[in-house]
DNA sequence: CAACAAAACTAACGTTTGTTAGTTTACTAT
DNA sequence: ATAGTAAACTAACAAACGTTAGTTTTGTTG
């Protein structure tokens, strides 16, 4: 499989943005890692900002699509939560660098990308919360402060990239099961 | 209570570093927010880097001291975990901006501060893990992958500042109890 | 082989940045 | 009052940044 120069720049930028931060990574840094000159990047991206926004919005779209799949799966709330955990684990493994940017680097998005990103993130979290509430209502989840449970789950899932980076040999399947046990074990009725 | 200019600059920088990131915050930004000129900051700090490192190392020291208090308290492992959760909640409430920097901005620390920060963080996490292992050994905690449970708890605690910023009116006492229920509920035997 | 487009290059621009040097103002202690 | 220190100021520099313009190389297509 041949990876286009554009994709290669994207992956490279994701790695550097993650390691040093968006602002601390210069176009010259990215170019050097690609063995080209900074000006050449502008044949593929119209700005540094576009590199960041394309990375973040792609991840946001993958999560949004994943949520749609889960909600139309017909599973009960607990089953849906399991599917969401698997979604996070898989995206984390497949896009470790890009997903790391979700934790902090999204603040460097400029308009109109920032608004779009926030909208998708907020929708995702709202739908996640809905599933938790439904589970509680159906008696499948024990009584708990929904927004604290939500924030707690999302924190762990958001941070997973960091743990996975230090444990790359951990089998995906096993990681999914452990995450489900850890995150759902405490809230199931 | 009079807050010295130095403390005022620290608090101001923490707020800006959190909002825009360390690299994206200029000395002129901090100065303007303090209604002084950038050069005047150098009467209180010898560099921008020193502002960041003083903020982060202070928080690291507070956590290290808290851990020491907990370990010498004589409580059983579950009691110690409860105390640690309370520690995180309190420090989060008292130092919301500075604690937010722990999530991502520490990567901008330069040597030798970076090494010192990492050492304290790693020690803290190792001692946290020890308590989990002891709890498991004493049959107080159910069987689980210790490092995944550890990472999951720390993720939630690290992210707490974000939730708290959107829910500043939530009573501290109640937040402590909810966090204990959510984080320990799933792992107690 | 000729023609064209894609993608690399060199060179330079205007800004912004952290920091320094030197000077002036404000406050405090004798 | 005066001396001395702390903390503000003005002015400037050298480096690094994102980006642009214009040119050359590379690769493909008729």
């Amino acid at each position: 499989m041949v990876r286009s120069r554009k994709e290669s720049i994207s992956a490279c930028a994701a790695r550097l943005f993650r390691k040093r931060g968006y602002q601390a990574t210069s176009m010259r840094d990215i170019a050097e890692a690609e063995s080209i000159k900074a000006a050449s990047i502008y044949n593929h991206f119209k700005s540094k900002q576009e590199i960041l926004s394309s990375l973040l919005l792609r991840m946001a779209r993958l999560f949004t699509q994943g949520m749609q799949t889960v909600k139309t799966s017909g599973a009960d709330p607990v089953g849906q939560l399991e599917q969401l955990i698997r979604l996070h684990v898989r995206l984390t493994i497949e896009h470790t660098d890009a997903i790391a940017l979700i934790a902090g680097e999204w603040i460097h998005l400029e308009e109109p990308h920032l608004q779009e990103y926030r909208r998708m993130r907020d929708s995702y979290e709202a739908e996640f919360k809905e599933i938790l509430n439904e589970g509680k209502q159906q008696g499948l989840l024990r009584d708990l402060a929904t927004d604290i449970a939500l924030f707690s789950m999302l924190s762990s899932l958001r941070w997973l990239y960091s743990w996975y980076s230090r444990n790359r040999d951990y089998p995906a399947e096993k990681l999914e099961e452990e995450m489900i046990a850890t995150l759902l074990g405490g809230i199931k009725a």
Side-chain angles (χ1 to χ4, degrees), chain A residues 82-173:
Chain A
E82 278 187 28
Q83 287 182 52
L84 285 174
I85 293 172
R86 289 185 206 281
L87 173 69
H88 277 262
V89 172
R90 283 170 198 161
L91 289 180
T92 298
I93 290 176
E94 275 176 51
H95 309 275
T96 313
D97 288 327
I99 227 170
L101 306 179
I102 292 176
E105 300 301 318
W106 65 268
I107 61 167
H108 297 112
L109 284 175
E110 298 164 9
E111 300 298 359
H113 307 301
L114 180 56
Q115 231 188 357
E116 191 181 354
Y117 177 81
R118 277 196 167 127
R119 195 179 44 77
M120 286 199 271
R121 181 198 62 183
D122 292 348
S123 296
Y124 184 83
E125 294 187 2
E127 294 185 287
F128 209 121
K129 188 170 177 176
E130 244 177 57
I131 295 176
L132 278 175
N133 274 328
E134 233 172 286
K136 206 161 88 173
Q137 208 173 337
Q138 294 181 20
L140 299 172
L141 302 180
R142 66 177 183 76
D143 190 50
L144 40 74
T146 317
D147 37 342
I148 292 191
L150 169 70
F151 130 81
S152 174
M153 288 185 72
L154 288 180
S155 299
S156 300
L157 293 171
R158 205 181 287 125
W159 214 258
L160 186 57
Y161 78 91
S162 173
W163 185 88
Y164 181 70
S165 296
R166 299 189 303 265
N167 300 271
R168 284 222 175 74
D169 49 347
Y170 209 90
E173 180 84 11

Side-chain angles (χ1 to χ4, degrees), chain A residues 29-43:
Chain A
D29 290 336
I30 301 170
E32 194 181 11
E34 284 283 304
S35 301
I36 59 177
K37 299 294 173 182
S40 304
I41 298 178
Y42 289 85
N43 284 317

Side-chain angles (χ1 to χ4, degrees), chain A residues 34-88:
Chain A
E34 284 283 304
S35 301
I36 59 177
K37 299 294 173 182
S40 304
I41 298 178
Y42 289 85
N43 284 317
H44 305 278
F45 294 91
K46 74 171 202 288
S47 67
K48 182 183 174 188
Q49 171 71 197
E50 200 199 48
I51 304 179
L52 179 69
S53 64
S54 70
L55 284 166
L56 278 170
L57 291 177
R58 177 157 96 243
M59 294 316 302
R61 264 177 235 116
L62 287 173
F63 275 109
T64 300
Q65 287 164 15
M67 175 63 83
Q68 219 48 38
T69 303
V70 167
K71 295 203 84 164
T72 57
S73 70
D76 72 355
V78 170
Q80 292 187 10
L81 290 175
E82 278 187 28
Q83 287 182 52
L84 285 174
I85 293 172
R86 289 185 206 281
L87 173 69
H88 277 262

